[in-house]
């Protein structure tokens, strides 16, 4: 599978997300990666509550971030997210945080499909309609 096209979602840095110097606290970038994933999945017609209705969860099993330039209070940022790869059991997302054209942070997350008992579950068997949406995107 080749990576999907970039999905973009804008946010503005809130005061609570910064330290005394007005610089974004590093852990907030993981929250923003999650916002990007959630909105990307929603744009495919697969809001997260629909995934849970199928008895599926998609926990993070690995996260990577590379910091280049800090975001600051009141910056208008774009969260860029795409599906890098997926199988019947796993998904991998690539994410970027940009201020205009400037790349601030890049990275990604890897996930595994599990059922409510936290046992690995094949999405193509548990939710074939959701898997078809992924195939259409990729």
């Amino acid at each position: 599978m080749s990576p999907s096209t970039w999905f973009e979602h804008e946010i503005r840095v809130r005061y609570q997300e910064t330290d005394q110097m007005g610089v974004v606290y590093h852990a907030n970038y993981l929250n923003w990666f999650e916002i990007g994933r959630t909105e990307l999945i929603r744009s495919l017609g697969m809001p997260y509550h629909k995934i849970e209705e199928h008895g599926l969860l998609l926990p993070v099993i690995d996260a990577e971030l590379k910091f280049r330039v800090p975001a600051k209070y009141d910056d208008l940022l774009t969260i860029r997210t795409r599906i890098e790869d997926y199988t019947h059991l796993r998904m991998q997302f690539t994410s970027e945080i940009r201020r205009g054209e400037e790349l601030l942070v890049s990275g990604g997350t890897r996930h595994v499909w599990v059922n409510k008992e936290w046992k690995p579950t094949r999405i193509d068997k548990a939710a074939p309609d959701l898997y078809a949406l992924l195939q259409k995107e990729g």
Side-chain angles (χ1 to χ4, degrees):
M1 165 206 165
S2 59
S4 68
T5 57
W6 287 107
F7 175 81
E8 296 185 349
H9 183 78
E10 286 192 344
I11 59 167
R12 186 167 299 277
V13 177
R14 299 173 299 175
Y15 187 78
Q16 73 180 35
E17 295 166 321
T18 64
D19 60 19
Q20 188 175 4
M21 298 175 292
V23 172
V24 169
Y25 179 67
H26 66 276
N28 286 301
Y29 294 99
L30 282 172
N31 289 328
W32 296 342
F33 280 15
E34 180 183 2
I35 290 169
R37 289 190 311 270
T38 301
E39 294 303 323
L40 167 61
I41 289 172
R42 182 188 322 278
S43 77
L44 298 177
M46 185 175 26
Y48 204 81
H49 70 85
K50 193 171 180 183
I51 293 170
E52 290 179 342
E53 287 171 6
H54 281 85
L56 294 171
L57 304 169
L58 191 59
V60 173
I61 58 171
D62 188 39
E64 178 183 333
L65 292 93
K66 182 171 183 175
F67 298 92
R68 290 173 173 80
V69 180
K72 297 185 176 177
Y73 170 66
D74 209 33
D75 281 351
L76 183 61
L77 305 177
T78 302
I79 304 167
R80 296 182 70 201
T81 311
R82 70 180 180 196
I83 299 169
E84 191 68 29
D85 195 15
Y86 69 91
T87 68
H88 304 319
L89 289 172
R90 297 180 188 263
M91 286 194 74
Q92 180 178 344
F93 295 88
T94 297
S95 301
E96 296 181 346
I97 307 297
R98 291 183 173 265
R99 180 175 47 226
E101 294 298 315
E102 183 179 26
L103 178 60
L104 307 181
V105 175
S106 62
T109 55
R110 287 187 285 169
H111 307 256
V112 64
W113 293 105
V114 297
N115 61 23
K116 292 190 179 196
E117 290 76 42
W118 286 81
K119 302 285 186 213
T121 303
R122 290 178 56 124
I123 186 176
D124 60 325
K125 304 288 186 204
D129 55 332
L130 298 180
Y131 187 69
L133 289 174
L134 290 175
Q135 289 182 304
K136 190 162 72 170
E137 176 65 14

